[in-house]
Amino acid sequence: MNNSMPHIEAFNPTEENISRFREIYFMSFPEEERRPWEQMNGFLNGGNGQFKAFAIMDGATLIGFITVWTLQGMNYIEHFAVRHDRRGNGTGQNALRALMEMMPASYVLEVEPKETGDIARRRIGFYSKLGFTPREEFDYLQPPYADGLPEVPLTLMTTGDIEPGNAAKQLWDVVYHKKGVN
């Protein structure tokens, strides 16, 4: 590790970056909350024009990432993770602020409901400090990423004046390629 400040940049799909991304991705998200790796790898290598990946870098080392979908009237943060040993020192907060400055828009993301435990409550608190509002009045299910996986009850968090029903419809249609919304 060097003494540079971590920063965010467009993801460069080098073999090393793909390997580091994959390691953080699998450690940070349970199976039902991640895309099949072949699909994610395709997106990282430019497989969808609405999908963008950003690397959180410390010098030349990838220590985290943020994946974003550009939707109508909003950006959707699909996956955001920082290596476990680099959490708790402002890296994630600074990266998310930098992203929101680079891509000014309203944002939506999914989190575990606060009733699921302390980690979920801390995560909601983290995003709330950055201007996100939990939309607990809207019952939301994340559709399965692959056959055989369950729908996942989650809470949408938004910035700006995003209407949760519209956000959910766009997520289901564009991101998950499912018809209808819960």
Side-chain angles (χ1 to χ4, degrees):
M1 187 177 346
N2 61 38
N3 292 326
S4 67
M5 276 299 278
H7 65 280
I8 186 171
E9 61 187 48
F11 183 81
N12 179 5
T14 65
E15 188 175 326
E16 181 178 347
N17 283 348
I18 293 281
S19 176
R20 288 183 189 278
F21 183 106
R22 187 179 195 282
E23 178 185 348
I24 296 167
Y25 188 59
F26 277 78
M27 288 182 70
S28 300
F29 299 96
E31 181 181 19
E32 62 273 9
E33 292 181 23
R34 43 173 214 256
R35 294 184 172 281
W37 177 247
E38 299 73 29
Q39 188 180 60
M40 177 59 79
N41 194 29
F43 285 162
L44 293 174
N45 283 286
N48 186 302
Q50 288 181 275
F51 176 91
K52 294 178 178 27
F54 296 91
I56 303 169
M57 303 293 291
D58 187 359
T61 303
L62 185 137
I63 61 168
F65 57 82
I66 307 173
T67 63
V68 180
W69 288 82
T70 304
L71 303 174
Q72 187 175 353
M74 70 191 87
N75 290 327
Y76 164 58
I77 298 173
E78 182 176 25
H79 292 101
F80 173 33
V82 174
R83 236 176 45 193
H84 284 86
D85 64 339
R86 299 301 300 268
R87 293 181 183 169
N89 64 2
T91 298
Q93 189 176 56
N94 291 337
L96 192 52
R97 278 195 181 115
L99 171 75
M100 294 169 80
E101 287 175 16
M102 285 170 52
M103 296 177 65
S106 294
Y107 280 82
V108 61
L109 53 81
E110 303 158 329
V111 294
E112 293 85 1
K114 66 182 178 190
E115 299 78 26
T116 59
D118 287 341
I119 292 173
R121 285 189 287 278
R122 283 197 304 270
R123 189 169 289 127
I124 289 168
F126 170 84
Y127 289 118
S128 294
K129 288 178 189 168
L130 292 164
F132 285 82
T133 301
R135 304 305 295 267
E136 295 167 341
E137 77 281 5
F138 184 78
D139 289 331
Y140 177 76
L141 291 173
Q142 177 195 60
Y145 272 115
D147 291 341
L149 293 176
E151 293 181 328
V152 181
L154 296 173
T155 297
L156 293 179
M157 292 189 76
T158 63
T159 66
D161 60 355
I162 293 173
E163 197 282 308
N166 176 43
K169 181 175 182 350
Q170 287 193 63
L171 294 179
W172 275 61
D173 291 350
V174 177
V175 176
Y176 298 105
H177 301 288
K178 308 284 184 198
K179 289 300 166 198
V181 70
N182 45 27

